[in-house]
Amino acid sequence: MIIKFKKEMTLEIVTNFNSFTLSRGDTESEMFNAGEELDIDICDELNPPDSREIQLADGSVSFVTPDFWQDVEVVKE
């Protein structure tokens, strides 16, 4: 799925999340500009805006809130 940011946003990204133990690893903040596109996968098998966990192309994970989905546009499913 490709999303486009409607406004500038910062995501907290977990770089080594272990889905088996649900342990979070290192986190880092990454800023995305309005209009920027991001290729993601939904990790929790829920559709936006119910999904709370997204995975970026590099395998890192970000936990999002319902507000997140209001501030992005799905460009491609």
Side-chain angles (χ1 to χ4, degrees):
M1 169 183 296
I2 298 176
I3 58 171
K4 182 187 291 187
F5 291 90
K6 295 179 183 177
K7 66 177 193 174
E8 185 178 278
M9 293 178 67
T10 301
L11 291 180
E12 292 296 318
I13 298 174
V14 181
T15 54
N16 52 359
F17 177 70
N18 185 327
S19 61
F20 294 109
T21 63
L22 299 178
S23 64
R24 294 184 183 199
D26 300 325
T27 60
E28 57 185 49
S29 296
E30 189 167 342
M31 172 104 49
F32 295 93
N33 296 314
E36 191 171 347
E37 293 185 355
L38 183 64
D39 188 3
I40 65 165
D41 288 319
I42 303 294
C43 298
D44 53 15
E45 299 180 13
L46 298 172
N47 292 321
D50 298 321
S51 179
R52 300 290 180 263
E53 184 180 324
I54 60 173
Q55 183 173 21
L56 285 59
D58 65 1
S60 59
V61 172
S62 184
F63 297 93
V64 298
T65 65
D67 294 340
F68 169 81
W69 295 107
Q70 294 176 3
D71 296 327
V72 298
E73 170 188 350
V74 177
V75 176
K76 182 179 176 187
E77 298 254 352

